[in-house]
Amino acid sequence: MTTTSTQVAIIGAGPAGLALASKLDRLGIDNVVIERRSQEYVLARIRAGILEQTTVDFLKDIGAAGRLEQEGIPHHGVRLAYNNRIIPVGLGANTGGKVVTAYGQTEVTKDLCDLRAASPNPTVYEAENVSLHDFDSARPYVLYDEQGVTKRLNCQLIAGCDGYHGVSRVSVPESAITTYEKVYPFGWLGMLADVPPVSPEVLYANARRGFALCSMRSWTRSRYYIQCDPDDKVENWTDDMFWDELKRRLPDEVSDNIQTGPSLEKSIAPLRSFIAEPLRFGRLLLAGDAAHVVPPTGAKGLNLAFSDVHYMSEAIAAFTGDGDEDALSRYSERALARVWKTQRFSWYLTNLTHRFSDDPFDQRVKEAELAYVTTSQAGLQMIAENYVGMPL
Ligand code: APR
Ligand code: PHB
């Protein structure tokens, strides 16, 4: 077995792991990223694509925002639709000028991979049997197999950035961790197509047939979603069926103008709210989807991964620089405070816009809530403030 050492072992090369790695590079803190999949696999995943300003600022700070600054599309508003009406919600107007930026997570990951490729610190792809050890002591280590050879990586800290299905969170003894979970009774069927987006801003539609969402990746590439049964299969949906159902859920002025075309991709994702507490277990810190999952309504998953990494990198700098152990616990408290607020908003927007039951009373109450929040200044401000993201 070969043994090497570093300051921080980062498990997972998704957005959280790669962003942390580049931030630590900038701070002069040695790190190694260990990823189970190949780089091609990581880069092929299609997910949401709305960045909060704090996420954009983080990417600028680590030097990964060159393409984002060219290709990202600022959105000064978001739209809510119900009862055949569209209500614009000004973001800048209700938040003192803040906006969000449309830029796909796939592109963010590619930019982070490119930045990482120039780092002197290593990234191990296709690592097998990754396991975490002794993180309740001052000498934690990680074991993994690389091309059939077992490797040992000694470190001061382990950053668990390995997503919901990763090994980090489940390595913690059950008695030390509390989890909260809500599984929603539906999924999202998403479709990507090279057609101009029908709406210049993201549009969330509450419809009696179920939720629909219009988003974009560029002025020539659209991303649309419809609420579906959680057990439904992509194979059950032809492109024509998707377009027909989408149109039926959108206000007439939108569906009359929608341009259809062949899908580049279709997939179904379940909706879940999940939080693990705390985020620190001795020398193991969790970030991103390893620690929490939000339903995609509001596009907060990626942004939360970045705010975790922001707080975590400050804690790691205080710990490795000044031996400040307390900074590790403060990481957990600071990150979780923002995670819970963001979880609340994602849950709220999901409830407001989705069909949960066949009971017409439930639907009418949602329509009344939409009528209220879109006509009350306080309501509009609450939506806008949350949509652009809580301050760090
Ligand atoms: N060992 C090493 N790597 C692992 C392991 C393991 N045992 N298990 C999983 N991984 C890797 C995955 O292959 C993946 O590349 O960890 C990475 C986790 O990446 P994400 O799931 O994208 O999670 P995260 O980086 O926290 O990003 C959060 O991305 O997908 C969205 O909804 C998510 O938007 C949120 C954001
Ligand atoms: C997307 O563009 O994929 C997207 C946008 C907004 C959401 C979710 C997904 O709330």
Side-chain angles (χ1 to χ4, degrees), residues 11 129-135 140-143 158-160 162 167-169 171-172 284 286:
I11 315 299
N129 304 318
V130 179
S131 56
L132 282 46
H133 302 271
D134 290 359
F135 50 83
Y141 63 95
V142 178
L143 293 179
I158 303 174
D162 48 352
V167 66
S168 300
R169 189 185 64 252
S171 302
V172 174
L284 168 65
L286 300 180

PDB file of all heavy atoms in Angstrom, residues 11 129-135 140-143 158-160 162 167-169 171-172 284 286:
ATOM      1  N   ILE A  11     -13.623  14.466  -0.615  1.00  0.00           N
ATOM      2  CA  ILE A  11     -14.289  13.307  -1.214  1.00  0.00           C
ATOM      3  C   ILE A  11     -15.365  13.820  -2.162  1.00  0.00           C
ATOM      4  O   ILE A  11     -16.319  14.472  -1.721  1.00  0.00           O
ATOM      5  CB  ILE A  11     -14.933  12.402  -0.122  1.00  0.00           C
ATOM      6  CG1 ILE A  11     -13.977  12.176   1.058  1.00  0.00           C
ATOM      7  CG2 ILE A  11     -15.379  11.071  -0.730  1.00  0.00           C
ATOM      8  CD1 ILE A  11     -12.685  11.498   0.714  1.00  0.00           C
ATOM      9  N   ASN A 129     -13.868   1.831  -3.749  1.00  0.00           N
ATOM     10  CA  ASN A 129     -13.859   1.450  -2.320  1.00  0.00           C
ATOM     11  C   ASN A 129     -13.325   2.549  -1.410  1.00  0.00           C
ATOM     12  O   ASN A 129     -12.494   2.301  -0.532  1.00  0.00           O
ATOM     13  CB  ASN A 129     -13.031   0.170  -2.115  1.00  0.00           C
ATOM     14  CG  ASN A 129     -13.541  -0.967  -2.970  1.00  0.00           C
ATOM     15  OD1 ASN A 129     -14.756  -1.148  -3.087  1.00  0.00           O
ATOM     16  ND2 ASN A 129     -12.641  -1.698  -3.601  1.00  0.00           N
ATOM     17  N   VAL A 130     -13.794   3.765  -1.628  1.00  0.00           N
ATOM     18  CA  VAL A 130     -13.345   4.889  -0.793  1.00  0.00           C
ATOM     19  C   VAL A 130     -13.898   4.693   0.625  1.00  0.00           C
ATOM     20  O   VAL A 130     -15.087   4.425   0.803  1.00  0.00           O
ATOM     21  CB  VAL A 130     -13.862   6.224  -1.377  1.00  0.00           C
ATOM     22  CG1 VAL A 130     -13.426   7.398  -0.497  1.00  0.00           C
ATOM     23  CG2 VAL A 130     -13.379   6.398  -2.816  1.00  0.00           C
ATOM     24  N   SER A 131     -13.010   4.780   1.631  1.00  0.00           N
ATOM     25  CA  SER A 131     -13.485   4.668   3.019  1.00  0.00           C
ATOM     26  C   SER A 131     -12.768   5.676   3.901  1.00  0.00           C
ATOM     27  O   SER A 131     -11.611   6.015   3.674  1.00  0.00           O
ATOM     28  CB  SER A 131     -13.306   3.239   3.550  1.00  0.00           C
ATOM     29  OG  SER A 131     -11.959   2.839   3.440  1.00  0.00           O
ATOM     30  N   LEU A 132     -13.521   6.178   4.907  1.00  0.00           N
ATOM     31  CA  LEU A 132     -13.023   7.246   5.781  1.00  0.00           C
ATOM     32  C   LEU A 132     -12.699   6.657   7.149  1.00  0.00           C
ATOM     33  O   LEU A 132     -13.506   5.886   7.684  1.00  0.00           O
ATOM     34  CB  LEU A 132     -14.117   8.320   5.950  1.00  0.00           C
ATOM     35  CG  LEU A 132     -14.351   9.336   4.833  1.00  0.00           C
ATOM     36  CD1 LEU A 132     -14.418   8.728   3.465  1.00  0.00           C
ATOM     37  CD2 LEU A 132     -15.586  10.168   5.120  1.00  0.00           C
ATOM     38  N   HIS A 133     -11.549   7.044   7.724  1.00  0.00           N
ATOM     39  CA  HIS A 133     -11.125   6.427   8.988  1.00  0.00           C
ATOM     40  C   HIS A 133     -10.638   7.456  10.001  1.00  0.00           C
ATOM     41  O   HIS A 133     -10.011   8.461   9.639  1.00  0.00           O
ATOM     42  CB  HIS A 133      -9.987   5.435   8.721  1.00  0.00           C
ATOM     43  CG  HIS A 133     -10.390   4.370   7.755  1.00  0.00           C
ATOM     44  ND1 HIS A 133     -10.980   3.192   8.153  1.00  0.00           N
ATOM     45  CD2 HIS A 133     -10.349   4.341   6.397  1.00  0.00           C
ATOM     46  CE1 HIS A 133     -11.268   2.470   7.066  1.00  0.00           C
ATOM     47  NE2 HIS A 133     -10.892   3.145   5.989  1.00  0.00           N
ATOM     48  N   ASP A 134     -10.897   7.148  11.260  1.00  0.00           N
ATOM     49  CA  ASP A 134     -10.329   7.882  12.419  1.00  0.00           C
ATOM     50  C   ASP A 134     -10.579   9.390  12.367  1.00  0.00           C
ATOM     51  O   ASP A 134      -9.746  10.159  12.847  1.00  0.00           O
ATOM     52  CB  ASP A 134      -8.811   7.602  12.541  1.00  0.00           C
ATOM     53  CG  ASP A 134      -8.527   6.164  12.976  1.00  0.00           C
ATOM     54  OD1 ASP A 134      -9.516   5.419  13.183  1.00  0.00           O
ATOM     55  OD2 ASP A 134      -7.353   5.801  13.088  1.00  0.00           O
ATOM     56  N   PHE A 135     -11.727   9.785  11.820  1.00  0.00           N
ATOM     57  CA  PHE A 135     -11.970  11.238  11.800  1.00  0.00           C
ATOM     58  C   PHE A 135     -12.400  11.761  13.176  1.00  0.00           C
ATOM     59  O   PHE A 135     -12.566  12.959  13.366  1.00  0.00           O
ATOM     60  CB  PHE A 135     -12.951  11.655  10.688  1.00  0.00           C
ATOM     61  CG  PHE A 135     -14.226  10.874  10.633  1.00  0.00           C
ATOM     62  CD1 PHE A 135     -15.279  11.190  11.454  1.00  0.00           C
ATOM     63  CD2 PHE A 135     -14.365   9.828   9.727  1.00  0.00           C
ATOM     64  CE1 PHE A 135     -16.452  10.477  11.400  1.00  0.00           C
ATOM     65  CE2 PHE A 135     -15.539   9.104   9.663  1.00  0.00           C
ATOM     66  CZ  PHE A 135     -16.587   9.427  10.503  1.00  0.00           C
ATOM     67  N   PRO A 140      -6.887  11.624  10.908  1.00  0.00           N
ATOM     68  CA  PRO A 140      -7.788  10.885  10.013  1.00  0.00           C
ATOM     69  C   PRO A 140      -7.076  10.418   8.749  1.00  0.00           C
ATOM     70  O   PRO A 140      -6.008  10.956   8.411  1.00  0.00           O
ATOM     71  CB  PRO A 140      -8.860  11.926   9.665  1.00  0.00           C
ATOM     72  CG  PRO A 140      -8.248  13.246   9.915  1.00  0.00           C
ATOM     73  CD  PRO A 140      -7.158  13.072  10.933  1.00  0.00           C
ATOM     74  N   TYR A 141      -7.627   9.440   8.075  1.00  0.00           N
ATOM     75  CA  TYR A 141      -7.087   9.041   6.774  1.00  0.00           C
ATOM     76  C   TYR A 141      -8.191   8.442   5.911  1.00  0.00           C
ATOM     77  O   TYR A 141      -9.261   8.061   6.399  1.00  0.00           O
ATOM     78  CB  TYR A 141      -5.901   8.076   6.922  1.00  0.00           C
ATOM     79  CG  TYR A 141      -6.219   6.750   7.572  1.00  0.00           C
ATOM     80  CD1 TYR A 141      -6.511   5.620   6.796  1.00  0.00           C
ATOM     81  CD2 TYR A 141      -6.216   6.608   8.955  1.00  0.00           C
ATOM     82  CE1 TYR A 141      -6.796   4.397   7.387  1.00  0.00           C
ATOM     83  CE2 TYR A 141      -6.500   5.391   9.553  1.00  0.00           C
ATOM     84  CZ  TYR A 141      -6.793   4.294   8.770  1.00  0.00           C
ATOM     85  OH  TYR A 141      -7.087   3.088   9.345  1.00  0.00           O
ATOM     86  N   VAL A 142      -7.884   8.396   4.625  1.00  0.00           N
ATOM     87  CA  VAL A 142      -8.826   7.864   3.640  1.00  0.00           C
ATOM     88  C   VAL A 142      -8.144   6.711   2.922  1.00  0.00           C
ATOM     89  O   VAL A 142      -6.972   6.821   2.560  1.00  0.00           O
ATOM     90  CB  VAL A 142      -9.217   8.968   2.623  1.00  0.00           C
ATOM     91  CG1 VAL A 142     -10.160   8.431   1.567  1.00  0.00           C
ATOM     92  CG2 VAL A 142      -9.829  10.169   3.333  1.00  0.00           C
ATOM     93  N   LEU A 143      -8.869   5.626   2.720  1.00  0.00           N
ATOM     94  CA  LEU A 143      -8.353   4.518   1.910  1.00  0.00           C
ATOM     95  C   LEU A 143      -9.159   4.456   0.615  1.00  0.00           C
ATOM     96  O   LEU A 143     -10.366   4.685   0.619  1.00  0.00           O
ATOM     97  CB  LEU A 143      -8.522   3.183   2.636  1.00  0.00           C
ATOM     98  CG  LEU A 143      -7.698   2.939   3.899  1.00  0.00           C
ATOM     99  CD1 LEU A 143      -8.032   1.561   4.478  1.00  0.00           C
ATOM    100  CD2 LEU A 143      -6.200   3.052   3.618  1.00  0.00           C
ATOM    101  N   ILE A 158     -11.086  15.883   6.632  1.00  0.00           N
ATOM    102  CA  ILE A 158     -11.761  15.285   5.470  1.00  0.00           C
ATOM    103  C   ILE A 158     -12.982  16.153   5.149  1.00  0.00           C
ATOM    104  O   ILE A 158     -13.778  16.456   6.046  1.00  0.00           O
ATOM    105  CB  ILE A 158     -12.224  13.842   5.757  1.00  0.00           C
ATOM    106  CG1 ILE A 158     -11.037  12.962   6.179  1.00  0.00           C
ATOM    107  CG2 ILE A 158     -12.928  13.247   4.540  1.00  0.00           C
ATOM    108  CD1 ILE A 158     -11.429  11.549   6.617  1.00  0.00           C
ATOM    109  N   ALA A 159     -13.116  16.549   3.891  1.00  0.00           N
ATOM    110  CA  ALA A 159     -14.301  17.294   3.451  1.00  0.00           C
ATOM    111  C   ALA A 159     -15.191  16.331   2.661  1.00  0.00           C
ATOM    112  O   ALA A 159     -14.818  15.873   1.576  1.00  0.00           O
ATOM    113  CB  ALA A 159     -13.891  18.484   2.588  1.00  0.00           C
ATOM    114  N   GLY A 160     -16.336  16.005   3.215  1.00  0.00           N
ATOM    115  CA  GLY A 160     -17.275  15.084   2.555  1.00  0.00           C
ATOM    116  C   GLY A 160     -18.142  15.864   1.580  1.00  0.00           C
ATOM    117  O   GLY A 160     -19.111  16.508   1.976  1.00  0.00           O
ATOM    118  N   ASP A 162     -19.440  14.373  -1.293  1.00  0.00           N
ATOM    119  CA  ASP A 162     -19.717  13.271  -2.217  1.00  0.00           C
ATOM    120  C   ASP A 162     -21.199  13.028  -2.454  1.00  0.00           C
ATOM    121  O   ASP A 162     -21.601  11.916  -2.801  1.00  0.00           O
ATOM    122  CB  ASP A 162     -19.002  11.990  -1.747  1.00  0.00           C
ATOM    123  CG  ASP A 162     -19.203  11.700  -0.272  1.00  0.00           C
ATOM    124  OD1 ASP A 162     -19.770  12.561   0.435  1.00  0.00           O
ATOM    125  OD2 ASP A 162     -18.791  10.621   0.174  1.00  0.00           O
ATOM    126  N   VAL A 167     -20.256   8.269   0.517  1.00  0.00           N
ATOM    127  CA  VAL A 167     -19.840   7.437   1.646  1.00  0.00           C
ATOM    128  C   VAL A 167     -19.659   8.266   2.920  1.00  0.00           C
ATOM    129  O   VAL A 167     -19.713   7.727   4.031  1.00  0.00           O
ATOM    130  CB  VAL A 167     -18.533   6.682   1.271  1.00  0.00           C
ATOM    131  CG1 VAL A 167     -17.359   7.657   1.077  1.00  0.00           C
ATOM    132  CG2 VAL A 167     -18.158   5.636   2.296  1.00  0.00           C
ATOM    133  N   SER A 168     -19.456   9.576   2.791  1.00  0.00           N
ATOM    134  CA  SER A 168     -19.060  10.377   3.961  1.00  0.00           C
ATOM    135  C   SER A 168     -20.124  10.389   5.054  1.00  0.00           C
ATOM    136  O   SER A 168     -19.848  10.047   6.207  1.00  0.00           O
ATOM    137  CB  SER A 168     -18.749  11.812   3.541  1.00  0.00           C
ATOM    138  OG  SER A 168     -17.689  11.826   2.616  1.00  0.00           O
ATOM    139  N   ARG A 169     -21.339  10.802   4.673  1.00  0.00           N
ATOM    140  CA  ARG A 169     -22.378  10.944   5.708  1.00  0.00           C
ATOM    141  C   ARG A 169     -22.665   9.601   6.374  1.00  0.00           C
ATOM    142  O   ARG A 169     -22.817   9.525   7.597  1.00  0.00           O
ATOM    143  CB  ARG A 169     -23.654  11.517   5.100  1.00  0.00           C
ATOM    144  CG  ARG A 169     -24.690  11.903   6.134  1.00  0.00           C
ATOM    145  CD  ARG A 169     -25.991  12.362   5.495  1.00  0.00           C
ATOM    146  NE  ARG A 169     -26.652  11.307   4.750  1.00  0.00           N
ATOM    147  CZ  ARG A 169     -26.736  11.241   3.426  1.00  0.00           C
ATOM    148  NH1 ARG A 169     -26.217  12.186   2.672  1.00  0.00           N
ATOM    149  NH2 ARG A 169     -27.334  10.230   2.832  1.00  0.00           N
ATOM    150  N   SER A 171     -20.690   7.274   6.956  1.00  0.00           N
ATOM    151  CA  SER A 171     -19.571   6.811   7.784  1.00  0.00           C
ATOM    152  C   SER A 171     -19.704   7.283   9.236  1.00  0.00           C
ATOM    153  O   SER A 171     -19.000   6.814  10.111  1.00  0.00           O
ATOM    154  CB  SER A 171     -18.238   7.357   7.245  1.00  0.00           C
ATOM    155  OG  SER A 171     -18.052   6.967   5.916  1.00  0.00           O
ATOM    156  N   VAL A 172     -20.619   8.247   9.439  1.00  0.00           N
ATOM    157  CA  VAL A 172     -20.800   8.800  10.788  1.00  0.00           C
ATOM    158  C   VAL A 172     -21.686   7.851  11.587  1.00  0.00           C
ATOM    159  O   VAL A 172     -22.704   7.384  11.065  1.00  0.00           O
ATOM    160  CB  VAL A 172     -21.481  10.188  10.679  1.00  0.00           C
ATOM    161  CG1 VAL A 172     -21.820  10.732  12.053  1.00  0.00           C
ATOM    162  CG2 VAL A 172     -20.605  11.142   9.901  1.00  0.00           C
ATOM    163  N   LEU A 284     -14.189  15.481  10.289  1.00  0.00           N
ATOM    164  CA  LEU A 284     -14.959  15.329   9.033  1.00  0.00           C
ATOM    165  C   LEU A 284     -15.995  16.450   8.938  1.00  0.00           C
ATOM    166  O   LEU A 284     -16.758  16.672   9.871  1.00  0.00           O
ATOM    167  CB  LEU A 284     -15.677  13.967   9.020  1.00  0.00           C
ATOM    168  CG  LEU A 284     -16.740  13.757   7.928  1.00  0.00           C
ATOM    169  CD1 LEU A 284     -16.114  13.765   6.527  1.00  0.00           C
ATOM    170  CD2 LEU A 284     -17.484  12.429   8.156  1.00  0.00           C
ATOM    171  N   LEU A 286     -19.098  18.011   6.356  1.00  0.00           N
ATOM    172  CA  LEU A 286     -19.938  17.694   5.183  1.00  0.00           C
ATOM    173  C   LEU A 286     -20.353  18.982   4.477  1.00  0.00           C
ATOM    174  O   LEU A 286     -20.595  20.003   5.119  1.00  0.00           O
ATOM    175  CB  LEU A 286     -21.211  16.966   5.620  1.00  0.00           C
ATOM    176  CG  LEU A 286     -21.056  15.641   6.363  1.00  0.00           C
ATOM    177  CD1 LEU A 286     -22.444  15.077   6.707  1.00  0.00           C
ATOM    178  CD2 LEU A 286     -20.270  14.630   5.529  1.00  0.00           C
TER     179      LEU A 286
END
